[in-house]
Amino acid sequence: MINIRSEDEIKKLRLAGEITAAAMEIGRDGIKPGTTTQEISEKVRSFIESKGAKAAFLGYNGYPGAICVSVNDEVVHGIPGDRVLEEGDIVKLDIGTYIHGFFSDMARTFPVGEIFEETKALMAVTEESLYLAINAAVAGNHVGDIGNAVQSYVEDKGYSVVRALVGHGIGSNLHEEPQVPNFGQAGGGPKLKSGMVIAIEPMVNAGKYEVRTLEDEWTVVTNDGELSSHFENTCVIRDGFPEILTLMNGEEKWLKTIR
Ligand code: MF3
Ligand code: CO
């Protein structure tokens, strides 16, 4: 069953989204050469708790971290630890918060110092694909239109879309129906309606799409060791059109790309 959220529930989801976006700014500002992934996670966790919210991933299915910090070929679910960030790395922060019964979930990929132009291009295509996908999340469209928007754009640019992990409905649970793949057929899957809340999260690999999980049982890496990029927003379909609940300050330009 796909939940349809009331205006009152959407207000609570907005609050969760605002806290998550502000937490992402804290995480971003902590990224520099010499910092450990655990230091970033701790800054973000303290901020979330200072807002009266909870870091939603901590303990989720036994996940040991407050947020996910995934570096370079790590796609998602990197566990914060003593890994030291180096100039030229890319870091994916994936943050979820829980407050007043509702969840929000977002991810961004950031550079550590100067990175190669080709790495910037991978990140830019991933971010663009997220907003193309959001633009497809209108009432009357289908979940498959979202995945198709990501896949067609990303593959046209010569990259690949991760298949093993997907976006998802979100609300009073971190993961709800429907699954929101980043690939698929236009017109396929459930029909989108106002009141639905989904986390859209393209994971884009510079090389092949296959991934594997490390012995820590969480960290997902690319099979070929090439870089991976990830961007995610929680969105509600309201009056037929997507409203982004996890936009950060400075990202207002993306609003012009959606209806
Ligand atoms: N943002 C991640 C997702 O949508 C949430 C990871 S929860 C964790 O799957 F516990 F696995 F880290
Ligand atoms: Co998610």
Side-chain angles (χ1 to χ4, degrees):
M1 194 228 359
I2 303 177
N3 286 307
I4 300 294
R5 298 302 178 179
S6 66
E7 281 298 308
D8 186 56
E9 291 171 318
I10 291 170
K11 280 199 189 103
K12 292 177 183 166
L13 286 155
R14 264 193 211 111
L15 173 65
E18 281 163 19
I19 294 170
T20 311
M24 184 63 76
E25 291 180 34
I26 300 288
R28 173 198 62 199
D29 295 346
I31 292 174
K32 54 180 183 301
T35 309
T36 67
T37 56
Q38 176 64 18
E39 283 170 327
I40 295 164
S41 176
E42 274 308 299
K43 281 184 183 149
V44 172
R45 188 185 57 77
S46 323
F47 175 82
I48 291 169
E49 291 174 358
S50 79
K51 296 291 170 188
K54 278 190 174 152
F57 303 164
L58 187 61
Y60 182 80
N61 292 338
Y63 181 72
I67 68 172
C68 302
V69 186
S70 310
V71 183
N72 295 343
D73 62 318
E74 297 171 354
V75 179
V76 287
H77 302 167
I79 302 170
D82 54 14
R83 179 169 184 162
V84 176
L85 298 180
E86 292 174 26
E87 177 103 13
D89 286 343
I90 57 171
V91 186
K92 283 132 276 183
L93 302 185
D94 194 341
I95 305 177
T97 65
Y98 177 73
I99 185 163
H100 301 155
F102 287 88
F103 286 89
S104 132
D105 185 8
M106 75 185 289
R108 296 289 185 272
T109 305
F110 299 109
V112 183
E114 275 305 305
I115 61 172
F116 291 124
E117 288 301 320
E118 59 185 270
T119 309
K120 288 182 194 167
L122 169 70
M123 289 167 53
V125 166
T126 311
E127 190 170 26
E128 283 153 11
S129 78
L130 169 60
Y131 292 93
L132 289 170
I134 293 172
N135 199 37
V138 296
N141 265 2
H142 291 252
V143 168
D145 294 307
I146 296 172
N148 190 260
V150 173
Q151 185 179 18
S152 53
Y153 185 69
V154 164
E155 292 183 352
D156 184 62
K157 298 288 183 184
Y159 303 119
S160 65
V161 168
V162 172
R163 311 294 171 94
L165 298 137
V166 298
H168 49 94
I170 177 167
S172 44
N173 297 283
L174 178 60
H175 294 136
E176 297 187 355
E177 288 181 42
Q179 292 199 356
V180 183
N182 298 299
F183 51 90
Q185 300 292 322
K191 196 184 235 183
L192 298 167
K193 296 186 182 136
S194 288
M196 289 183 181
V197 184
I198 51 176
I200 304 177
E201 51 178 316
M203 287 151 267
V204 175
N205 293 352
K208 296 197 161 64
Y209 70 76
E210 287 90 351
V211 297
R212 66 191 169 88
T213 304
L214 298 184
E215 301 80 79
D216 65 16
E217 293 184 353
W218 282 103
T219 313
V220 176
V221 298
T222 58
N223 235 347
D224 59 13
E226 301 269 356
L227 295 176
S228 186
S229 174
H230 182 208
F231 285 81
E232 173 179 28
N233 279 319
T234 297
C235 306
V236 57
I237 302 173
R238 195 161 164 275
D239 294 333
F241 293 97
E243 175 183 325
I244 304 170
L245 300 177
T246 49
L247 210 61
M248 292 162 71
N249 289 311
E251 291 185 328
E252 295 79 12
K253 67 166 180 176
W254 293 109
L255 293 176
K256 292 194 219 104
T257 69
I258 64 167
R259 282 165 282 186

